[in-house]
CSV table of all heavy atoms in Angstrom, one decimal:
chain,number,residue,atom,x,y,z
B,25,SER,N,121.2,99.6,97.0
B,25,SER,CA,120.6,98.3,97.4
B,25,SER,C,120.3,97.5,96.1
B,25,SER,O,120.3,98.0,95.0
B,25,SER,CB,119.3,98.6,98.2
B,25,SER,OG,118.3,99.0,97.3
B,26,SER,N,120.1,96.2,96.4
B,26,SER,CA,119.8,95.3,95.3
B,26,SER,C,118.5,95.8,94.5
B,26,SER,O,118.5,95.8,93.3
B,26,SER,CB,119.6,93.9,95.8
B,26,SER,OG,119.2,93.1,94.8
B,27,ARG,N,117.5,96.3,95.3
B,27,ARG,CA,116.3,96.7,94.7
B,27,ARG,C,116.5,98.0,93.8
B,27,ARG,O,116.0,98.1,92.7
B,27,ARG,CB,115.2,97.0,95.7
B,27,ARG,CG,113.9,97.5,95.1
B,27,ARG,CD,112.9,97.9,96.1
B,27,ARG,NE,112.3,96.6,96.7
B,27,ARG,CZ,111.7,96.6,97.8
B,27,ARG,NH1,111.5,97.6,98.5
B,27,ARG,NH2,111.2,95.4,98.2
B,28,GLN,N,117.3,98.9,94.3
B,28,GLN,CA,117.6,100.1,93.6
B,28,GLN,C,118.4,99.8,92.3
B,28,GLN,O,118.2,100.4,91.2
B,28,GLN,CB,118.3,101.1,94.4
B,28,GLN,CG,117.4,101.7,95.5
B,28,GLN,CD,118.2,102.5,96.5
B,28,GLN,OE1,119.4,102.2,96.8
B,28,GLN,NE2,117.6,103.4,97.2
B,29,ALA,N,119.3,98.8,92.4
B,29,ALA,CA,120.1,98.4,91.2
B,29,ALA,C,119.2,97.8,90.2
B,29,ALA,O,119.4,98.0,89.0
B,29,ALA,CB,121.2,97.5,91.7
B,30,GLU,N,118.3,97.0,90.7
B,30,GLU,CA,117.3,96.3,89.7
B,30,GLU,C,116.5,97.4,89.0
B,30,GLU,O,116.2,97.3,87.8
B,30,GLU,CB,116.5,95.4,90.5
B,30,GLU,CG,115.5,94.6,89.6
B,30,GLU,CD,114.7,93.6,90.4
B,30,GLU,OE1,115.3,92.9,91.3
B,30,GLU,OE2,113.5,93.5,90.2
B,31,SER,N,116.0,98.4,89.8
B,31,SER,CA,115.2,99.5,89.2
B,31,SER,C,116.0,100.2,88.2
B,31,SER,O,115.5,100.6,87.1
B,31,SER,CB,114.7,100.4,90.3
B,31,SER,OG,113.7,99.8,91.1
B,32,HIS,N,117.3,100.5,88.5
B,32,HIS,CA,118.1,101.2,87.6
B,32,HIS,C,118.3,100.4,86.3
B,32,HIS,O,118.3,101.0,85.2
B,32,HIS,CB,119.5,101.5,88.3
B,32,HIS,CG,120.4,102.4,87.5
B,32,HIS,ND1,121.3,101.9,86.6
B,32,HIS,CD2,120.4,103.7,87.4
B,32,HIS,CE1,121.9,102.9,86.0
B,32,HIS,NE2,121.4,104.0,86.5
B,33,ARG,N,118.5,99.1,86.4
B,33,ARG,CA,118.7,98.3,85.2
B,33,ARG,C,117.4,98.3,84.4
B,33,ARG,O,117.4,98.4,83.1
B,33,ARG,CB,119.1,96.9,85.6
B,33,ARG,CG,120.6,96.7,85.9
B,33,ARG,CD,121.0,95.3,86.1
B,33,ARG,NE,120.3,94.6,87.1
B,33,ARG,CZ,120.6,94.5,88.4
B,33,ARG,NH1,121.7,95.2,88.8
B,33,ARG,NH2,119.9,93.8,89.2
B,34,LEU,N,116.3,98.2,85.0
B,34,LEU,CA,115.0,98.2,84.3
B,34,LEU,C,114.8,99.6,83.6
B,34,LEU,O,114.3,99.6,82.5
B,34,LEU,CB,113.8,98.0,85.3
B,34,LEU,CG,112.4,98.0,84.7
B,34,LEU,CD1,112.3,96.9,83.6
B,34,LEU,CD2,111.4,97.7,85.8
B,35,LEU,N,115.1,100.6,84.3
B,35,LEU,CA,115.0,102.0,83.7
B,35,LEU,C,115.9,102.1,82.5
B,35,LEU,O,115.4,102.6,81.5
B,35,LEU,CB,115.4,103.0,84.8
B,35,LEU,CG,115.4,104.5,84.4
B,35,LEU,CD1,114.2,105.0,83.7
B,35,LEU,CD2,115.8,105.4,85.6
B,36,ALA,N,117.1,101.7,82.6
B,36,ALA,CA,118.1,101.8,81.5
B,36,ALA,C,117.6,100.9,80.3
B,36,ALA,O,117.6,101.3,79.1
B,36,ALA,CB,119.5,101.4,81.9
B,37,GLY,N,117.1,99.7,80.6
B,37,GLY,CA,116.6,98.8,79.6
B,37,GLY,C,115.4,99.3,78.9
B,37,GLY,O,115.3,99.2,77.6
Side-chain angles (χ1 to χ4, degrees):
S25 73
S26 175
R27 178 182 287 162
Q28 289 167 333
E30 184 178 316
S31 291
H32 187 266
R33 283 190 299 273
L34 179 60
L35 175 55

